[in-house]
Amino acid sequence: MRVVEAFRAAFGADPATVWRAPGRVNLIGEHTDYNDGFVLPFAVPWGVTAAVSPRDDQTIRLLSLQAPSPEPLVLAARDDARGWTRYVVGVLAMLGDRVRGADIAVDGDVPQGAGLSSSAALEVSVASALNELHGLGMTPMEVALLGQRAENDFVGMPCGIMDQAASALCREGHALFLDCRTLGSRNVPLDLAAHGLRILIIDTRVHHEHAGGEYAKRRAECESAARTLGVDALRDVTDLGAALARLRGEERKRVEHVVTESHRVEAVVGLLRAGRPAEIGALLNASHLSLRDKYEVSSPELDVAVEAAVRGGARGARMTGGGFGGSAIALVAEDRLDTVRQAVSSAYEERSWQPPRFLPATPAPGAHPLT
Ligand code: GLA
């Protein structure tokens, strides 16, 4: 394994353990996680492999096979972390006195900027390795929560639990139906190939700079709406009509999205369990319209990808992840894949946009050791 060879070359010994954790796409349930709602992500075949050894001192030595320099970064203090190293150092920081320093080499193949959660893959691979090495006994969900805290409190991104939970808990051939309040989860079979279907990831290759700020703003709007409605979280809205009557402006639209989206997740799970995956397309389309018009987190590149995919014969399509760029997904019959790709590529070409990238999405396993 090349990450082990790089570890050996940089640190002069074999790593004590090696873990692999994947990125994710979200089939449906967008911006519901931090509202205590439902999500349905699945792990993608791309992820991060982390080779790790503990150290007796506080030093952190980090090597990334994707970094321009082949030399490891040596961090004497946690405050020295910059860029991608913050996700790793954040995990160590959240473990507090339970761990000291570490030697870490990482090798990632999640397409960058595609919104497929490379940061969660990084956090979960490193946290899983440290969990094993220090005998911490954390469950996969506790590893996910640790990764989320690293991102919330150390990196400063107020994300929900979906990405880390998907990376830690997904199973091959399944999507993860997660209740973000109770943190109870079930692996739902997602055998699309048996039905002649595929999920195509359409990476717009555009990521808008303001995404982080807009994400925090949406989250604040949801929390404010929950206060107005006198509920702990938007999950608790049972009478949508009555709730909407008490709200106005943007908060009204946000609540409409969050509540209907969580219902769509349950409907998709029902169809998958009933062996009717071809019928989830309409729910994917409805999710996209709601994210575009009510939650206002789409982008022209995502909208064109979704519209062109559907026009090209996809059974349904939607943006996936936080929004403002990144990727869309399309549910496509196998014999339509070429037509759909062509339709999206032509739509981009007509607008003189850089060509989108197409990736096949087969549900991959969650975090696991490789040693
Ligand atoms: C990002 C966050 C997740 C989730 C999605 C939107 O990916 O990291 O926690 O909120 O956006 O569904």
Side-chain angles (χ1 to χ4, degrees):
M1 222 184 309
R2 68 178 199 166
V3 71
V4 171
E5 280 154 32
F7 186 100
R8 230 183 260 136
F11 304 128
D14 279 338
T17 194
V18 181
W19 276 75
R20 167 97 180 160
R24 62 95 191 97
V25 284
N26 189 14
L27 187 55
I28 197 160
E30 220 64 82
H31 291 277
T32 46
D33 59 354
Y34 53 82
N35 289 300
D36 280 2
F38 300 116
V39 293
L40 191 64
F42 63 89
V44 289
W46 313 283
V48 173
T49 307
V52 183
S53 284
R55 291 178 62 93
D56 292 333
D57 59 16
Q58 294 286 353
T59 302
I60 303 168
R61 294 194 294 178
L62 290 177
L63 179 73
S64 163
L65 272 70
Q66 282 66 49
S69 160
E71 293 299 316
L73 290 161
V74 181
L75 305 179
R78 288 171 175 170
D79 292 348
D80 293 346
R82 299 283 175 273
W84 70 272
T85 69
R86 291 171 305 155
Y87 299 96
V88 176
V89 177
V91 164
L92 283 153
M94 293 307 133
L95 286 168
D97 294 340
R98 290 186 284 173
V99 300
R100 308 192 70 176
D103 288 337
I104 300 174
V106 294
D107 186 9
D109 58 2
V110 184
Q112 288 303 301
L116 301 179
S117 292
S118 52
S119 52
L122 182 55
E123 291 151 5
V124 170
S125 61
V126 171
S128 302
L130 292 168
N131 184 36
E132 180 206 320
L133 291 177
H134 294 274
L136 302 176
M138 289 189 288
T139 61
M141 183 51 86
E142 285 166 346
V143 166
L145 287 164
L146 184 91
Q148 183 199 14
R149 269 184 39 226
E151 196 144 342
N152 290 171
D153 300 348
F154 196 85
V155 179
M157 157 68 181
C159 64
I161 188 62
M162 173 171 71
D163 306 346
Q164 292 81 4
S167 185
L169 285 134
C170 276
R171 269 178 45 196
E172 190 169 7
H174 292 72
L176 182 79
F177 178 39
L178 174 67
D179 178 334
C180 298
R181 166 164 283 167
T182 64
L183 299 183
S185 66
R186 275 184 294 155
N187 296 101
V188 181
L190 189 61
D191 187 6
L192 297 172
H195 297 265
L197 294 166
R198 292 289 160 83
I199 298 269
L200 183 67
I201 299 175
I202 308 164
D203 174 8
T204 65
R205 299 171 71 205
V206 178
H207 185 74
H208 294 281
E209 280 308 316
H210 56 275
E214 290 294 328
Y215 185 93
K217 203 166 145 219
R218 294 298 177 285
R219 191 169 176 158
E221 285 163 353
C222 289
E223 285 162 4
S224 161
R227 276 194 299 276
T228 306
L229 297 171
V231 292
D232 284 345
L234 296 183
R235 158 70 170 273
D236 300 309
V237 172
T238 45
D239 183 341
L240 180 60
L244 295 182
R246 292 176 61 192
L247 296 165
R248 42 190 30 212
E250 291 180 341
E251 288 185 12
R252 191 173 195 277
K253 289 193 277 185
R254 308 309 183 230
V255 170
E256 189 173 346
H257 166 73
V258 170
V259 174
T260 58
E261 181 78 351
S262 235
H263 291 160
R264 284 188 285 270
V265 177
E266 292 179 285
V268 167
V269 169
L271 286 169
L272 292 179
R273 288 198 166 279
R276 292 157 55 194
E279 292 168 50
I280 70 172
L283 291 154
L284 302 183
N285 292 337
S287 169
H288 186 76
L289 292 182
S290 179
L291 286 157
R292 186 189 73 184
D293 301 337
K294 305 290 177 188
Y295 219 67
E296 297 175 288
V297 290
S298 191
S299 69
E301 297 83 6
L302 286 166
D303 293 340
V304 167
V306 165
E307 282 153 27
V310 172
R311 227 181 320 113
R315 288 187 164 265
R318 58 181 290 274
M319 54 156 277
T320 184
F324 303 106
S327 295
I329 53 169
L331 178 71
V332 188
E334 265 157 27
D335 59 1
R336 281 263 166 190
L337 278 168
D338 278 344
T339 330
V340 169
R341 278 195 215 105
Q342 196 50 54
V344 178
S345 294
S346 309
Y348 270 51
E349 212 177 304
E350 272 164 31
R351 291 165 177 82
S352 307
W353 291 348
Q354 65 172 332
R357 179 166 45 177
F358 300 102
L359 304 160
T362 31
H368 55 281
L370 294 180
T371 38

